[in-house]
Amino acid sequence: DIQMTQSPSSLSASVGDRVTITCRASQTISNYLNWYQQKPGKAPNLLMYGASSLQSGVPSRFSGSGSGTDFTLTISSLQPEDFATYFCQQSYTTPHTFGQGTKLEIK
Amino acid sequence: QVQLVQSGAEVKKPGSSVKVSCTASGGTFSRYSFSWVRQAPGQGLEWVGRIIPVLNITNYAQKFQGRVTITADKSTSTAFMELSSLRSEDTAVYYCAREMFVDHGTYYTFYYGLDVWGQGTTVTVSS
């Protein structure tokens, strides 16, 4: 199975900050990398697919990059509603494994 | 607006089985796969398996092989996940989610992410 490792596991930031979360795959996954946001008690919400494509309806302050094994999710200017947990997921081969998550908290 | 509506919460005894349903409304069933993802209390997301109903193809995570069966009823646009030999570690919220696939003839690619999710079904395994 492909292992997905996110860093950091948690992060404290302030409204207006620029934040970057990284995700590393244990083997190459081309650009088959998705990012999700999850708030407590809710289902995850797709933010990015194909490493850098913004899902419809997602604000443009979210962006993604990377290919191969190393990927990043960037939030250009944090808004209060962005404090949540973020997961990466590879869809290159089954099982479509997830990273362990990054909890973004208010500083 | 496409929605995935899951069946209600379940409480099960260790060793028993649970079957969770996921009904799609407001969109076509045929161009999508349906994955099951679970989340234990306070934990991350774990991919369980998926079905491509139009092709009747299933894939399961090795961890669940032999214990999980994912099926679909195209006539009712409903996917099902059955998990057997339940143990306390299976206590989790189980989500279904839709993903579009691209048919290349001899293989399929999954590029567009899990774009619609069900509301989740809590399965509690307790004696």
Side-chain angles (χ1 to χ4, degrees):
Chain A
D1 297 358
I2 297 176
Q3 282 200 310
M4 306 300 294
T5 303
Q6 285 181 237
S7 61
S9 296
S10 63
L11 176 59
S12 293
S14 301
V15 173
D17 283 356
R18 180 183 180 89
V19 164
T20 297
I21 299 168
T22 66
C23 181
R24 174 165 287 176
S26 61
Q27 62 190 74
T28 183
I29 58 170
S30 184
N31 62 341
Y32 287 80
L33 191 282
N34 310 308
W35 289 99
Y36 301 88
Q37 177 193 68
Q38 188 181 32
K39 296 182 178 178
K42 299 292 187 182
N45 182 49
L46 178 66
L47 299 175
M48 314 285 308
Y49 63 89
S52 60
S53 295
L54 194 66
Q55 174 67 1
S56 175
V58 174
S60 59
R61 62 181 179 273
F62 291 91
S63 63
S65 66
S67 185
T69 61
D70 294 310
F71 303 87
T72 61
L73 174 71
T74 299
I75 310 172
S76 61
S77 177
L78 274 174
Q79 299 301 300
E81 60 268 28
D82 299 337
F83 292 95
T85 301
Y86 294 83
F87 296 92
C88 61
Q89 181 210 24
Q90 64 83 17
S91 56
Y92 183 73
T93 187
T94 57
H96 288 182
T97 41
F98 289 89
Q100 81 279 14
T102 296
K103 187 172 185 179
L104 180 53
E105 298 174 305
I106 301 173
K107 186 184 286 184
Chain B
Q1 185 73 359
V2 177
Q3 273 192 306
L4 299 180
V5 180
Q6 298 182 222
S7 50
E10 303 265 12
V11 179
K12 293 292 183 179
K13 299 285 189 190
S16 67
S17 299
V18 68
K19 191 170 185 177
V20 182
S21 68
C22 169
T23 301
S25 62
T28 179
F29 202 59
S30 62
R31 297 190 59 196
Y32 296 91
S33 68
F34 293 84
S35 293
W36 290 89
V37 175
R38 77 177 188 180
Q39 188 168 39
Q43 302 301 307
L45 302 171
E46 183 173 31
W47 191 87
V48 175
R50 69 147 181 237
I51 187 165
I52 310 172
V54 68
L55 302 170
N56 207 28
I57 290 174
T58 53
N59 300 100
Y60 302 123
Q62 182 70 26
K63 174 178 179 177
F64 302 100
Q65 283 278 2
R67 282 209 304 142
V68 68
T69 305
I70 297 174
T71 56
D73 181 343
K74 292 188 285 290
S75 68
T76 60
S77 299
T78 301
F80 302 90
M81 185 214 60
E82 184 168 23
L83 188 62
S84 63
S85 302
L86 289 169
R87 34 214 190 221
S88 58
E89 310 89 89
D90 295 317
T91 294
V93 177
Y94 289 76
Y95 294 103
C96 65
R98 179 190 86 165
E99 183 172 16
M100 190 164 62
F101 68 95
V102 177
D103 183 352
H104 298 277
T106 57
Y107 68 100
Y108 313 95
T109 54
F110 294 81
Y111 183 76
Y112 298 97
L114 299 168
D115 68 337
V116 179
W117 292 66
Q119 82 276 20
T121 296
T122 300
V123 175
T124 303
V125 183
S126 174
S127 55

